[in-house]
Amino acid sequence: MRTIALVDVNNFYVSTERVFNPKLEGKPVVVLSNNDGCVVARSAEVKALNIPMGEPWFKLKDIAKQHGIIAYSSNYALYADMSNRIMTVLSEFSHRQEIYSIDECFLDLTGHPQDPKQTGQLIRQRIKQWVGVPVCVGIASSKTLAKLSNHVAKKRSQYQGVCNFNAMSPTEISDILDSIEVGEVWGIGRKLDAQLQVGGIHTVRQLRDFDVTRLRNRFGVVMERTVRELRGESCIEMSDIAPPKQQIISSRSFGRYVTELPELEEAVSSYVSRAAEKLRKQHSVASTLYVYIRTNPHKEGEPQYSPGLMIGLEQASCDTMKLVDAALKGLRHIYRNGYRYQKAGVMLSDIRPAGIVQGELFAPELPKPSSAQSKLMDTLDQINRKMGNGTLKIASEGTQQHWQMKRGNVSPAYTSRWSELPEVR
């Protein structure tokens, strides 16, 4: 039998904030989305107040004052660095690790000499001691069951943060699955949940025990795979290396309305730089770039304008300067004066591995990328990795960046900027 563990950080963003500010322990805390718009993370105390995920912050001002809810702006650099530390620790527990998201990781513990539950508890202790955040561990014979096992470990205190389905009898597992709503199954979204409910499938056990042929005929082979996974068959393989992204999107809403072209150029240059860095990180190049700007569609009474332009590059590239040059040409083409722009963004597509070039039969041969330019991009990335994002940037990104999103209560970059290290007196 396979032994797959899913390690998931409890309330990751909030837990990270608490590592560096222990006064937040036991208090209701939320982390907000870009421009301090909506709730994207909630502490257990906030969940107990029945505040839903995605709730706009402005709607919560009264209840926040009543219950003393503390709100933090998103600090993505801090969260990414803490995630890297967690994943590094977890890599010591298995030679097969799949980083599923910023706060979730699958480990293949098949053949591990130690009892899986003991390993799970050791994982919890080590992450708490070495990184400072709480995690729960779900263990099962398939990835889908491991996700559900983790759900049980989080929701039921008697498991002390580690739930091992592989150590349970079929009756015990059936009883647990009978108490979990079908919408909790990995891959069952809202639409599919609603369709299953109409068909009389309300719990995970009902889905597991349903006629798999009928489900496949109605919903396709992915549903069949999900059901077989619920029955303990491992149908979804571990992926040691995340596949390269086929599209890279970089966009943000502005902290205030932007009307002038120079500020839009700064924002677009900044977004392209971020996308190009991701492109180089996965050793890829892009041959198509899409740039867009838009006004606020929800602002009644204001003129609306939301143009975009697809640009084909003469030669696929991951060079920030070449990509920025193309994006700015597109931006100048679509920009119109007299509008208040709320957002801009870029998308890189037609992505392929670097070094693989497909030419056209009758097109002139293109020059090979300059090694000096490639070294410049490597140096740019190395400095920014070492000294913090944005330490070194191209001139068109600007220095003031008044258009940046609002982050009224962002915590310091505790782990990635020397100037923001916590001080002990």
Side-chain angles (χ1 to χ4, degrees), residues 2-5 90-99 105-110 143 236-241:
R2 297 216 36 201
T3 306
I4 306 295
L90 291 176
S91 68
E92 298 180 8
F93 287 91
S94 174
H95 66 284
R96 298 206 67 192
Q97 174 188 26
E98 179 184 338
I99 298 172
C105 176
F106 288 104
L107 298 173
D108 190 343
L109 300 179
T110 306
K143 290 169 78 173
I236 306 173
E237 285 302 313
M238 293 279 292
S239 177
D240 299 315
I241 301 173

Side-chain angles (χ1 to χ4, degrees), residues 392-408:
L392 197 61
K393 54 191 175 186
I394 62 174
S396 62
E397 293 184 56
T399 56
Q400 301 298 319
Q401 298 189 338
H402 297 298
W403 45 268
Q404 280 278 19
M405 64 182 180
K406 293 176 187 172
R407 294 204 293 174

Side-chain angles (χ1 to χ4, degrees), residues 209-221:
D209 296 344
F210 205 82
D211 186 329
V212 72
T213 304
R214 288 176 61 189
L215 286 170
R216 183 184 62 227
N217 292 338
R218 173 68 177 84
F219 299 106
V221 70

Side-chain angles (χ1 to χ4, degrees), residues 168-193:
M168 295 183 185
S169 69
T171 303
E172 286 178 295
I173 295 174
S174 292
D175 288 344
I176 289 173
L177 298 186
D178 209 25
S179 67
I180 302 175
E181 294 181 359
V182 71
E184 293 291 342
V185 175
W186 188 25
I188 303 292
R190 288 184 183 178
K191 271 181 145 180
L192 205 48
D193 183 17

Side-chain angles (χ1 to χ4, degrees), residues 97-170:
Q97 174 188 26
E98 179 184 338
I99 298 172
Y100 179 66
S101 68
I102 193 170
D103 61 347
E104 288 180 281
C105 176
F106 288 104
L107 298 173
D108 190 343
L109 300 179
T110 306
H112 198 279
Q114 192 174 29
D115 175 71
K117 188 170 183 180
Q118 290 179 351
T119 302
Q121 289 297 348
L122 182 58
I123 287 171
R124 296 187 74 231
Q125 292 163 13
R126 190 167 295 178
I127 295 293
K128 183 66 176 175
Q129 183 179 4
W130 291 9
V131 186
V133 296
V135 302
C136 283
V137 183
I139 301 165
S141 57
S142 71
K143 290 169 78 173
T144 303
L145 276 178
K147 289 273 280 186
L148 284 169
S149 182
N150 186 281
H151 171 79
V152 174
K154 281 187 173 183
K155 298 293 183 183
R156 305 188 185 188
S157 59
Q158 65 264 38
Y159 293 101
Q160 299 178 314
V162 179
C163 178
N164 182 8
F165 277 179
N166 283 356
M168 295 183 185
S169 69

Side-chain angles (χ1 to χ4, degrees), residues 244-260:
K245 293 181 180 178
Q246 297 306 301
Q247 286 184 337
I248 295 176
I249 299 171
S250 182
S251 65
R252 288 281 187 277
S253 295
F254 304 134
R256 58 170 175 76
Y257 289 115
V258 173
T259 58
E260 303 300 321

